[in-house]
């Protein structure tokens, strides 16, 4: 059974860093592009970042470029998102996903990040 | 703010056909494939259409996608109460070098 389980969310103050993790199981993790997508409370979906199967290619959405870093450890079947200089507007549920723009998409259930003083 | 614009809402009675539009530009819809997602309340999104008009395994053929120029559309035929959800389009944008989602459309079954 395919599973993606996000962790690492929580309540943090503005300006701090936080690292999200996404543990994958049930499929060959190293074969797939992986993504992070976020959704602020009551708002729409926003694509955050993606990473190639070998980890060499990454892209970011404009709102997080220069502050967030995506990475993966294929030996541990885990995707990461390092979020620096967090702002109130980064408050959202963060979903990790496999092949989100292809026919074999799979989404995790999300982890909530709240940025507030 | 998203570069893909959708109407905030759409509605229909059971059995009707509902169409949702997604307006973009040459750097996204005009030159790239379009995907559509359904998000039921409190759940993660689900892919409905990929490559503009292809359905993943398990998605009923009541859902169909199309594209013309810089706009795309999702049609839901034979509307059912289970179709009440938010729907989002998405595409790669060459100018941004990233994916973009539409603003989202809430479908209500009357």
């Amino acid at each position: 059974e395919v599973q993606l389980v996000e962790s690492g969310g929580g309540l943090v103050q503005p300006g701090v860093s936080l690292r999200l993790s996404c543990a994958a199981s049930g499929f060959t993790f190293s074969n797939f592009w992986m993504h992070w997508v976020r959704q602020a409370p009551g708002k729409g979906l926003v694509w955050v970042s993606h990473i190639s199967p070998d980890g060499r290619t990454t892209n970011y959405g404009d709102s997080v470029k220069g502050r967030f870093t995506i990475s993966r450890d294929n030996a541990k079947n885990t995707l990461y998102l390092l979020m620096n200089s967090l702002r109130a507007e980064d408050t959202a549920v963060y979903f990790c996903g496999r092949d989100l723009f292809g026919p074999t998409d799979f989404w995790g259930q999300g982890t909530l990040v709240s940025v507030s003083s | 703010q998203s570069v893909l614009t959708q109407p905030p809402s759409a509605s229909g009675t059971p059995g009707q056909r509902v169409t949702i539009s997604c307006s973009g530009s040459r750097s996204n819809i005009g030159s790239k494939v379009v995907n559509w997602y359904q998000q039921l309340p409190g759940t993660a999104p689900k892919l409905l259409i990929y490559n503009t008009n292809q359905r993943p395994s398990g998605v009923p053929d009541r859902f169909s996608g199309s594209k013309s120029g810089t706009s795309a559309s999702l049609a839901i035929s034979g509307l059912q109460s289970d179709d009440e959800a938010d729907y989002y389009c998405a595409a790669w944008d060459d100018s941004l070098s990233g994916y973009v989602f539409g603003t989202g459309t809430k479908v209500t079954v009357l």
Side-chain angles (χ1 to χ4, degrees), chain A residues 35 37 39 43-48 50 59-62 65 95 99-105 107-110, chain B residues 33 35 37 39 42-47 50-51 56-57 86 88 90-92 96-103:
Chain A
H35 302 255
V37 171
Q39 187 169 35
K43 302 297 184 181
L45 301 173
V46 175
W47 179 79
V48 173
H50 72 175
N59 291 96
Y60 299 89
D62 278 356
K65 207 170 290 185
F95 297 100
D99 189 28
L100 291 186
F101 299 89
T104 58
D105 80 309
W107 298 67
Q109 287 308 300
Chain B
V33 298
N35 289 358
Y37 301 83
Q39 187 176 31
T43 69
K46 166 190 168 183
L47 181 67
Y50 68 100
N51 284 358
S57 174
D86 294 323
Y88 296 90
W92 178 265
L96 298 175
S97 293
Y99 286 100
V100 286
F101 282 96
T103 49

Side-chain angles (χ1 to χ4, degrees), chain B residues 15-109:
Chain B
Q16 276 191 328
R17 175 185 171 94
V18 168
T19 301
I20 301 168
S21 62
C22 175
S23 178
S25 65
R26 284 187 295 179
S27 64
N28 43 67
I29 293 176
S31 57
K32 302 298 176 185
V33 298
V34 179
N35 289 358
W36 289 91
Y37 301 83
Q38 177 194 62
Q39 187 176 31
L40 299 171
T43 69
K46 166 190 168 183
L47 181 67
L48 280 182
I49 298 288
Y50 68 100
N51 284 358
T52 304
N53 55 20
Q54 302 298 303
R55 285 184 305 277
S57 174
V59 174
D61 59 6
R62 301 188 297 105
F63 295 92
S64 61
S66 62
K67 184 177 85 166
S68 178
T70 59
S71 292
S73 294
L74 172 72
I76 309 172
S77 60
L79 195 65
Q80 300 178 0
S81 57
D82 288 352
D83 298 332
E84 278 209 341
D86 294 323
Y87 293 81
Y88 296 90
C89 58
W92 178 265
D93 189 293
D94 279 336
S95 297
L96 298 175
S97 293
Y99 286 100
V100 286
F101 282 96
T103 49
T105 299
K106 182 175 185 60
V107 169
T108 301
V109 181

